[in-house]
Amino acid sequence: MLNVHNLTVSFMGTDLFSGITFKLNKGDRIGLIGKNGAGKSTLLKVLSKDVETSGGTMAFDKDVRMGFLRQDIDFVAGRTILEEAYQAFEEIKKIELELDAINNQLATRTDYESEAYSQLIVDLTEKTERYELLGGYNYQGNTEKILQGLGFKREDFDKLTDTFSGGWRMRIELAKLLLQDNDILLLDEPTNHLDIESIIWLENFLKGYSGAIVLVSHDKMFLDNVTNRTIEISLGQIYDYKKPYSEFLLLRGEIKEKQLQAQKNQDREIKQKQLLIDKFKAKASKASMAQSLMKQLDKVERIEVDQDDNATMNIRFAKSIEPGKIIVEAENMSKSYGDNQVLENVDLLIERNSRIAFVGQNGQGKSTLAKMMVGDIPFDGHLKLGHNVQIGYFAQNQSEHLPPEKTVLQIMEDAATDSNRARVRDMLGAFLFGGDAVDKKAKVLSGGERNRLALCKLLLSPFNVLIMDEPTNHLDIASKNVLKEALRSFNGTLILVSHDRDFLQGLTATVYGFKDKVIKEYLGDIDYFLEQHKMENMREAEKKTVVKEVKETKKKEAYQLSREEEKELKKLKNKLSKIEAEIAVLEAEIEKIDLELANNYDEVATRPNFFEKYKAKKAKVDALMSDWERVEGQVASF
């Protein structure tokens, strides 16, 4: 489908990448990876012919059709979502107009015996056949199916695209590409504006796609689930393996080990020959032998080891001061945007050192709640921050608000205080802005570089509660891993809004699921949430029929409770959940100790105060079980 040979792209006299060669075949689903600024998006623009090459050739198969999901999109104002999505069917829409014109003529003309009238009948037949061949009778249904898969509701279809955010407009553009049945799809970070459910839908769609795909993504799980080949751009070169991302890393590591070993062996042989040359060239009788050895060395093709760009950020989130036990306490919070009610009567209690993930479809109120907690937007209801709470907030579009004409250094110095202004350059260096990079203007930074700068700026203010809204958008995989480790080590309260499943794994202990204006708490990590959510979706039809009467009864009972009784019931349920979680942790610890005793009793039993601590854990479980029975009885009494 596409042959790329000896391709070179240069900017300002410097090669971004040089002499790269690869072939794209039907069925290839390539993950294009590399650090921020390595040239991934540029390579997609080269393949789509948006950017000219500095050298090399590209040969496409005849009549190959290519679709490109760009990061910057521009819609015609005044179109509805459906009308914009239908732009994917340019020829179908053109034939529809032609068919309407022909049918109008046939309905109004009376010269039935004329040659012109006969030609209209011929044109009608030909265009109808072409219309059917192009899928004219199915395209509307397919459009609605894909729009719904990407998170749109039927009631959204007739709304103007102008009323939707950039993220939702990106979904419309993605829908158009998926509908066009292109031979090659070029996707630049397609998951950046999708929620988890839409990402899973897109994964399944792309896995069944018959053409070729080249996608840039920093979502490790998405790459593993979709791709069957990986091309990495590193230091101007590419490394191409027919493996998805995680398998590529393992294979590349093994190959590099073999290269290193072969290089060591070669260096040893060269050193031995050089010693012989030095020994023989001083003797006339051995001079010819020395010359022969020198010629052999000149012909040796030196083994090179693949070079990695190992520069990574250095982040540490330090907790400022110890806050009180309660971080956030909220009652009866509601938020609407005009007629759109996003959250309704939300009660919230977040305790110190909680680690929470906000998860749900776009538009369900995740970012809205984060903004309410930091005081960015007004709302109805009551919210109170605890004693000594200091919030660090990373907004989803934070990097977009960097002043475009200011340099990296100026932006940091403007945000710095007298106490940390002297450390600004060191901090920027830790975020990979060293040397001349601090003099770059914000407008020329890549998406990942802008995110790194926004993260660096965040560290200029003290905090003990960290709220981060989609912090991984545009960050390369290496930077995401560094950020994840920094968040893992942060010993304050953490609230994460994210659609990145791999990033969330191991970072949070509680998930708040946002759906239909309310929030549901799941006491477990993201894997537990997805498992429960899948089960809930599978039971949805059953819930609507078999359990409908029960739900209505419970709803009536709930309305009979007073506001104070509802508040007390919620507190009891929260207490019950915490007791259950504590019992689970203790039982896991006891099980681990039992296993140690079974395997190595003599060593374990001699530890200081071992049995006292062991008995204390068991006693604590018994006490918690009693508490659980008591609280469960109180809940049942409502």
Side-chain angles (χ1 to χ4, degrees):
M1 300 181 84
L2 168 62
N3 276 302
V4 175
H5 181 68
N6 212 26
L7 193 70
T8 298
V9 174
S10 303
F11 289 112
M12 307 288 288
T14 303
D15 288 347
L16 186 58
F17 38 79
S18 175
I20 64 174
T21 297
F22 64 91
K23 187 176 182 180
L24 183 61
N25 301 306
K26 187 174 181 178
D28 281 344
R29 297 196 296 271
I30 296 176
L32 189 59
I33 66 169
K35 299 194 67 174
N36 294 130
K40 304 182 297 295
S41 295
T42 300
L43 181 55
L44 290 188
K45 290 174 183 176
V46 169
L47 297 179
S48 67
K49 301 179 183 177
D50 283 7
V51 170
E52 291 186 6
T53 67
S54 305
T57 59
M58 294 192 302
F60 292 87
D61 284 356
K62 188 179 179 182
D63 298 328
V64 70
R65 293 167 299 171
M66 184 181 300
F68 182 20
L69 179 69
R70 298 169 175 83
Q71 286 297 309
D72 50 333
I73 54 174
D74 188 23
F75 286 166
V76 174
R79 285 179 184 157
T80 66
I81 288 178
L82 268 183
E83 287 169 344
E84 184 61 47
Y86 289 159
Q87 300 307 305
F89 305 100
E90 189 175 341
E91 189 178 353
I92 286 177
K93 300 300 288 182
K94 181 183 175 184
I95 293 175
E96 279 184 342
L97 293 174
E98 292 170 344
L99 286 172
D100 283 345
I102 291 171
N103 283 318
N104 284 333
Q105 288 191 59
L106 290 174
T108 56
R109 291 176 64 154
T110 56
D111 54 335
Y112 308 121
E113 304 298 328
S114 70
E115 187 176 331
Y117 195 91
S118 298
Q119 186 59 46
L120 284 176
I121 300 294
V122 171
D123 291 344
L124 178 66
T125 303
E126 289 178 351
K127 291 189 183 299
T128 301
E129 288 176 354
R130 179 64 179 164
Y131 185 76
E132 185 175 0
L133 183 67
L134 291 171
Y137 298 111
N138 302 317
Y139 80 93
Q140 293 179 332
N142 290 337
T143 301
E144 292 182 11
K145 188 193 305 179
I146 283 183
L147 285 172
Q148 286 178 305
L150 289 172
F152 289 98
K153 297 177 181 176
R154 283 190 174 275
E155 52 264 36
D156 296 329
F157 291 170
D158 294 324
K159 294 178 182 176
L160 296 178
T161 60
D162 317 41
T163 63
F164 286 81
S165 67
W168 284 98
R169 286 154 67 89
M170 186 68 75
R171 292 183 190 217
I172 301 170
E173 188 68 16
L174 179 57
K176 286 160 64 177
L177 282 182
L178 299 183
L179 287 163
Q180 282 171 353
D181 196 25
N182 292 292
D183 302 302
I184 299 174
L185 268 184
L186 306 177
L187 306 176
D188 195 356
E189 300 199 37
T191 64
N192 263 4
H193 300 285
L194 301 184
D195 52 57
I196 290 176
E197 290 183 10
S198 297
I199 290 173
I200 293 171
W201 179 90
L202 181 59
E203 284 177 359
N204 291 326
F205 184 95
L206 293 179
K207 279 190 278 190
Y209 189 74
S210 60
I213 301 170
V214 183
L215 67 92
V216 173
S217 179
H218 299 133
D219 186 328
K220 176 184 169 184
M221 196 172 288
F222 183 74
L223 287 169
D224 280 342
N225 289 341
V226 171
T227 64
N228 55 19
R229 181 176 165 194
T230 300
I231 293 179
E232 180 184 22
I233 303 177
S234 178
L235 300 173
Q237 301 298 313
I238 66 166
Y239 302 93
D240 184 357
Y241 296 100
K242 292 186 176 180
K243 298 285 183 183
Y245 177 73
S246 293
E247 292 180 35
F248 156 80
L249 287 184
L250 291 172
L251 182 59
R252 183 155 179 229
E254 292 171 4
I255 289 172
K256 190 173 178 181
E257 280 293 319
K258 291 176 181 176
Q259 288 176 338
L260 282 167
Q261 189 57 50
Q263 189 184 60
K264 284 179 184 177
N265 293 337
Q266 188 183 64
D267 288 346
R268 194 182 306 116
E269 291 175 11
I270 290 171
K271 188 177 180 181
Q272 288 172 350
K273 286 187 178 181
Q274 191 62 54
L275 286 172
L276 288 173
I277 290 169
D278 294 341
K279 182 179 178 181
F280 293 157
K281 70 181 179 182
K283 298 178 181 179
S285 61
K286 302 286 187 179
S288 61
M289 188 176 291
Q291 286 292 326
S292 177
L293 288 170
M294 288 171 68
K295 287 178 182 178
Q296 288 179 31
L297 275 186
D298 289 340
K299 291 178 181 178
V300 171
E301 189 174 332
R302 303 300 172 100
I303 295 171
E304 293 184 2
V305 178
D306 295 343
Q307 296 299 305
D308 294 325
D309 187 352
N310 292 317
T312 56
M313 293 189 297
N314 181 16
I315 314 177
R316 181 174 172 268
F317 295 115
K319 185 166 72 171
S320 54
I321 56 176
E322 188 72 12
K325 184 180 178 183
I326 302 300
I327 299 298
V328 176
E329 188 172 12
E331 289 184 0
N332 209 24
M333 285 195 306
S334 298
K335 177 63 184 175
S336 59
Y337 296 95
D339 295 332
N340 182 21
Q341 185 83 34
V342 180
L343 295 170
E344 188 172 19
N345 297 330
V346 171
D347 293 335
L348 204 62
L349 184 68
I350 297 177
E351 295 187 351
R352 181 178 59 220
N353 297 334
S354 297
R355 302 180 73 82
I356 300 168
F358 286 2
V359 173
Q361 288 187 332
N362 291 89
Q364 294 292 332
K366 306 184 300 296
S367 297
T368 295
L369 180 57
K371 290 175 184 175
M372 290 160 65
M373 291 167 67
V374 299
D376 269 11
I377 55 174
F379 57 89
D380 297 322
H382 305 282
L383 184 144
K384 179 183 175 184
L385 297 181
H387 179 63
N388 280 341
V389 167
Q390 296 176 332
I391 295 178
Y393 176 49
F394 184 93
Q396 181 176 161
N397 58 348
Q398 187 140 332
S399 64
E400 296 172 15
H401 292 161
L402 299 172
E405 294 299 328
K406 289 198 173 184
T407 67
V408 169
L409 184 59
Q410 287 171 338
I411 290 169
M412 284 291 287
E413 286 180 336
D414 289 348
T417 62
D418 292 339
S419 62
N420 57 27
R421 188 166 283 108
R423 296 193 298 112
V424 161
R425 282 185 179 272
D426 289 338
M427 292 173 68
L428 285 170
F431 281 77
L432 304 182
F433 293 105
D436 295 338
V438 299
D439 297 321
K440 282 184 178 180
K441 289 187 176 181
K443 65 182 181 182
V444 303
L445 299 177
S446 70
E449 288 171 326
R450 293 168 69 86
N451 240 28
R452 292 207 311 265
L453 179 56
L455 282 170
C456 189
K457 186 180 170 188
L458 174 67
L459 296 184
L460 290 170
S461 302
F463 54 81
N464 47 33
V465 177
L466 188 51
I467 301 176
M468 306 194 85
D469 191 355
E470 303 290 6
T472 62
N473 278 356
H474 303 293
L475 284 184
D476 58 56
I477 293 173
S479 297
K480 279 167 57 174
N481 290 339
V482 171
L483 176 60
K484 183 171 182 175
E485 286 308 309
L487 292 175
R488 206 194 300 271
S489 302
F490 176 58
N491 61 356
T493 302
L494 177 64
I495 297 172
L496 278 175
V497 182
S498 181
H499 61 262
D500 191 323
R501 294 154 292 171
D502 179 68
F503 183 74
L504 286 174
Q505 282 176 338
L507 273 185
T508 62
T510 305
V511 174
Y512 284 178
F514 287 66
K515 189 175 183 181
D516 298 332
K517 307 173 193 174
V518 298
I519 301 170
K520 182 175 179 180
E521 185 179 36
Y522 296 80
L523 294 173
D525 63 6
I526 186 64
D527 291 331
Y528 175 77
F529 165 78
L530 288 173
E531 180 185 329
Q532 294 297 308
H533 195 55
K534 186 177 179 181
M535 289 172 62
E536 287 166 8
N537 286 343
M538 288 171 65
R539 292 198 302 264
E540 211 164 81
E542 192 178 336
K543 283 182 179 179
K544 288 177 182 176
T545 54
V546 180
V547 196
K548 187 175 179 181
E549 295 81 4
V550 178
K551 283 182 73 177
E552 287 176 351
T553 304
K554 286 186 177 179
K555 195 173 182 182
K556 287 175 185 175
E557 289 174 356
Y559 278 120
Q560 290 168 4
L561 297 176
S562 68
R563 175 62 61 187
E564 286 302 315
E565 286 174 326
E566 286 181 354
K567 183 178 175 183
E568 182 62 27
L569 179 60
K570 183 169 180 62
K571 283 183 178 178
L572 286 171
K573 286 183 176 179
N574 284 339
K575 189 173 182 180
L576 199 64
S577 297
K578 284 170 185 170
I579 292 171
E580 289 170 350
E582 199 172 345
I583 289 172
V585 169
L586 283 169
E587 286 182 337
E589 290 175 359
I590 291 169
E591 187 178 345
K592 186 178 177 183
I593 294 169
D594 288 339
L595 190 61
E596 286 184 293
L597 280 170
N599 293 332
N600 196 1
Y601 180 86
D602 292 337
E603 188 276 324
V604 174
T606 55
R607 293 175 188 168
N609 302 321
F610 168 76
F611 282 108
E612 289 82 352
K613 293 176 182 176
Y614 183 48
K615 288 176 182 175
K617 286 183 187 292
K618 289 199 165 188
K620 179 68 173 171
V621 170
D622 291 339
L624 286 169
M625 289 299 293
S626 299
D627 288 345
W628 184 89
E629 290 175 5
R630 176 176 53 80
V631 177
E632 173 65 22
Q634 291 174 317
V635 170
S637 67
F638 276 85

